[in-house]
């Protein structure tokens, strides 16, 4: 009998939290030292393993790409079944189909899950994996999650009605689309609690982080995090980079990915795929006018400003949490360096990368920011050229991709949401409201339930403690 591969260990970017196995890292979310978990080594897929992904189902490809990350924590057979169940909820047989919108330019449709945005791809898996882990441990957990619009709906869909879990979702009051809000607030299960915070997404995320860093409350409430700081989400998202690249000729041909970016989770999954051996020519960070990452890659200075509301609300973010993971990598996994930069961010409102760190990032990443006119123009151009209607987040990616010379490299733009989630923006660009899929209509109930809270830590903590 061949020996079972060693159990994968996860280490914190800030170096002082204990290393954990897969299941513990998943249940914990944010590390206890405030850092983010990463695998201690990147598992490798050989070119032959990558080539073998051609022609297999999405679920099978997902199982093969993710199995080394779960390691010995979940029996292989059971993991394979959970993965298959997660992707059976998608309405397209290919799960993440490619659509060509111009010669050499493809959209990777990531929105065929239950809530019509790419967050379902990780959340459908995470809900099942967490439920299994908690039941096995006879434990309960309180999920507290911040959303810029799509994470909340996806998390509610994945966790509502699960007995082992109470879930609290914080969204920025008045700053998500109507469809996004109603997807969250019309959920009827008793374990779902929606909170509209009077502030921005960055405020919501800061509240959640503060709650996790309050270790006493964290333990008392058994807090679990499902924001994209949760490693299992990044892991699940690395799969579609493999699937898309293989369909376009990998491993024999390198592919470029252009990724509408907010919290840097989705594009970090592309980085993970690249570290696992997938030939990626370039990862293009596409942002709306909330362009902190573009400025950082240009100047080395990371300094958040106030987030501006745009037609792509899920990307109205100035504090890109997952960027910490890339810094850890670019700094040669020097946790002391990461801690220093995060202290500078907290104390002085920003930090500056070294030339070496910046060069290491620029070797794989490029960045483009596009304004509201560019977004509207991209939706209109694609519709006019092909009849295809894309959502404003995807349009940020299209506009960014079209700024760059292709050099003959196939470009994949991640289509992160269905246009029906953002009908106003689509109508403004094309003159027509997008068709609403029956699936979306069915899920929007009649009665909205949510509480409005001030951007105040004590008020939030009291609210959660009274209900968890
Ligand atoms: C969350 C989201 C993004 C941004 O993804 P990050 O992982 O936060 O960078 C882009 N588009 C849509 C539609 C989203 O929901």
């Amino acid at each position: 009998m061949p020996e079972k591969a060693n159990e994968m260990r996860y280490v914190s970017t800030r170096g002082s939290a204990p290393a954990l196995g897969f299941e513990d890292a998943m249940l914990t979310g944010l590390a206890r030292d405030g850092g983010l978990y990463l695998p201690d080594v990147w598992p490798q897929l050989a070119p032959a393993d990558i080539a073998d992904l051609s022609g297999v189902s999405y679920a099978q490809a997902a199982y093969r790409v993710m199995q080394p990350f779960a390691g010995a924590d979940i029996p292989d057979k059971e993991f394979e079944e959970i993965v298959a169940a997660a992707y059976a909820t998608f309405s397209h047989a290919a799960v993440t189909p490619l659509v060509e919108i111009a010669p050499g330019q493809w959209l990777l449709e990531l929105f065929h899950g239950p809530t019509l945005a790419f967050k379902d791809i990780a959340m459908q898996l995470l809900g099942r994996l967490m439920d299994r882990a908690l039941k096995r441990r006879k434990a309960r957990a309180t999920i507290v999650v911040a959303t810029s619009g799509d994470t909340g709906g996806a998390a509610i869909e994945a966790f509502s009605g699960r007995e082992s879990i109470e879930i609290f979702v914080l969204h920025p009051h008045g700053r998500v689309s109507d469809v996004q809000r109603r997807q969250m607030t019309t959920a009827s299960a008793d374990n779902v609690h929606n909170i509209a915070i009077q502030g921005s997404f960055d405020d919501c995320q800061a509240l959640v982080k503060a709650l996790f860093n309050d270790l006493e409350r964290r333990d008392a409430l058994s807090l679990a995090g499902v924001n994209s700081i949760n490693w299992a989400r990044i892991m699940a998202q690395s799969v579609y980079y493999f699937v898309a690249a293989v369909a376009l000729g990998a491993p024999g041909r390198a592919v470029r990915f252009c990724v509408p970016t907010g919290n840097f989770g989705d594009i970090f999954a592309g980085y993970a795929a690249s570290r696992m051996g997938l030939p990626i020519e370039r990862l293009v960070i596409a942002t709306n006018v909330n362009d902190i990452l573009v400025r950082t890659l240009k100047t080395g200075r990371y300094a958040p400003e106030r987030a501006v509301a745009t037609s792509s609300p899920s990307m109205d973010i100035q504090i890109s949490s997952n960027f910490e993971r890339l810094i850890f990598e670019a700094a040669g996994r020097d946790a002391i360096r990461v801690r220093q930069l995060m202290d500078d961010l907290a104390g002085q409102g920003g930090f500056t990368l070294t030339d070496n760190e910046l060069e290491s990032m620029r070797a794989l990443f490029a960045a483009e920011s596009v304004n509201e006119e560019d977004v509207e123009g991209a939706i209109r151009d694609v519709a006019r050229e092909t009849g295809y209607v894309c959502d404003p987040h995807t349009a940020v990616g299209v506009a960014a991709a079209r700024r760059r010379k292709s050099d003959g490299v196939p470009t994949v733009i991640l289509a992160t949401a269905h246009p029906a989630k953002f009908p106003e923006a689509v109508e403004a660009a094309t003159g027509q409201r997008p068709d609403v899929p029956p699936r979306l209509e069915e899920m929007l109930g009649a009665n909205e339930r949510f509480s409005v809270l001030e951007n105040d830590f004590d008020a939030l903590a009291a609210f959660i403690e009274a209900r968890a």
Side-chain angles (χ1 to χ4, degrees), residues 116-119 147-151 180 201 228 233-234 237 240 259-268 286 293 312-315 317 320 322 391-394 414-418 421-422:
L116 307 185
F118 84 91
K119 304 296 198 292
T147 183
S148 58
D150 293 317
T151 297
Q180 287 178 320
F201 168 75
S228 56
R233 282 188 55 191
I234 307 280
Q237 290 170 207
Y240 45 72
V259 187
T261 294
N263 222 355
F264 207 74
D266 206 4
I267 197 163
F268 191 81
L293 293 167
S312 44
S314 304
M315 291 154 55
I317 295 175
S320 289
N322 280 289
D391 100 290
H393 302 78
T394 305
L414 272 52
T416 51
H418 191 285
K421 291 192 90 166
F422 306 94

Side-chain angles (χ1 to χ4, degrees), residues 294-307:
V294 180
R295 287 183 279 121
T296 304
L297 234 67
K298 195 182 280 175
T299 67
R301 178 85 190 146
Y302 182 98
E305 294 170 355
R306 273 180 79 83

Side-chain angles (χ1 to χ4, degrees), residues 37-362:
Y37 278 108
L38 274 179
D40 62 353
V41 291
W42 292 107
Q44 295 299 307
L45 265 74
D49 300 331
I50 296 174
D52 281 348
L53 298 175
S54 171
V56 307
S57 69
Y58 185 91
Q60 182 55 221
Y63 167 68
R64 291 188 199 173
V65 170
M66 294 189 290
Q67 194 282 332
F69 289 112
D73 261 20
I74 309 174
D76 287 350
K77 185 90 194 108
E78 202 177 340
F79 190 50
E80 196 171 0
E81 284 166 8
I82 291 174
V83 171
Y87 297 111
T89 64
F90 281 63
S91 63
H92 196 291
V95 180
T96 59
L98 282 165
V99 178
E100 193 170 16
I101 54 165
Q105 208 169 66
W106 282 266
L107 292 179
L108 178 60
E109 292 186 341
L110 302 177
F111 51 71
H112 294 284
T115 69
L116 307 185
F118 84 91
K119 304 296 198 292
D120 289 322
I121 291 180
M123 216 61 92
Q124 284 295 313
L125 181 68
L126 190 57
R128 288 169 170 79
L129 290 176
M130 274 202 177
D131 197 43
R132 171 190 180 276
L134 290 168
K135 282 192 175 133
R136 227 167 46 84
R137 295 170 181 214
K138 300 193 172 39
R140 291 183 50 79
T142 307
I143 290 175
V144 182
V145 59
T147 183
S148 58
D150 293 317
T151 297
I156 288 169
E157 180 68 22
F159 291 101
S160 93
R162 293 199 191 271
E163 279 164 25
S164 52
I165 282 164
E166 211 66 33
I167 176 168
F168 295 84
V169 180
L170 281 62
H171 72 263
H173 192 31
R175 298 215 200 179
V176 300
S177 83
D178 277 0
V179 175
Q180 287 178 320
R181 191 193 64 249
R182 291 175 58 212
Q183 274 186 331
M184 298 187 272
T185 58
T186 63
S188 57
D190 290 340
N191 70 330
V192 175
H193 310 272
N194 278 288
I195 305 168
I197 296 288
Q198 288 179 322
S200 65
F201 168 75
D202 289 327
D203 296 326
C204 296
Q205 180 163 252
L207 286 169
V208 172
K209 280 198 177 175
L211 204 57
F212 274 80
N213 289 330
D214 180 342
L215 297 181
E216 224 170 275
R217 281 203 172 93
R218 176 176 183 156
D219 293 337
L221 290 164
S222 300
L223 285 188
V226 300
N227 273 111
S228 56
I229 49 173
N230 192 308
W231 169 256
R233 282 188 55 191
I234 307 280
M235 167 189 83
Q237 290 170 207
S238 69
V239 170
Y240 45 72
Y241 286 89
F242 281 94
V243 169
V246 166
L248 297 178
R253 185 157 82 148
V255 174
R256 178 182 305 174
F257 287 92
C258 184
V259 187
T261 294
N263 222 355
F264 207 74
D266 206 4
I267 197 163
F268 191 81
Y271 172 85
S274 141
R275 293 305 306 263
M276 291 166 75
L278 184 68
I280 294 181
E281 183 256 355
R282 195 152 292 279
L283 288 168
V284 181
I285 302 165
T287 75
N288 61 28
V289 292
N290 295 291
D291 63 348
I292 180 163
L293 293 167
V294 180
R295 287 183 279 121
T296 304
L297 234 67
K298 195 182 280 175
T299 67
R301 178 85 190 146
Y302 182 98
E305 294 170 355
R306 273 180 79 83
V308 174
T310 72
S311 60
S312 44
S314 304
M315 291 154 55
D316 292 344
I317 295 175
Q318 283 283 328
I319 302 172
S320 289
S321 294
N322 280 289
F323 194 58
E324 179 170 339
R325 287 187 157 117
L326 185 63
I327 296 170
F328 182 64
E329 291 278 285
R333 298 205 151 203
D334 179 350
I336 294 172
R337 169 75 179 152
V338 173
R339 226 179 307 157
Q340 178 62 55
L341 294 181
M342 294 303 141
D343 286 349
D344 289 352
L345 178 61
Q348 295 153 34
F351 57 75
T352 305
L353 299 170
T354 64
D355 287 345
N356 276 345
E357 289 159 357
L358 208 48
E359 282 319 306
S360 138
M361 291 178 185
R362 286 177 182 155

Side-chain angles (χ1 to χ4, degrees), residues 311 372-381 383-384 389-392 395 422-433:
S311 60
E372 294 291 274
E373 255 170 51
D374 299 330
V375 172
E376 203 175 297
I379 297 175
R380 191 165 42 236
D381 290 348
R384 200 178 285 153
V389 176
C390 62
D391 100 290
F422 306 94
E424 291 82 11
V426 171
E427 186 173 16
T430 65
Q432 281 186 336
R433 282 179 95 75

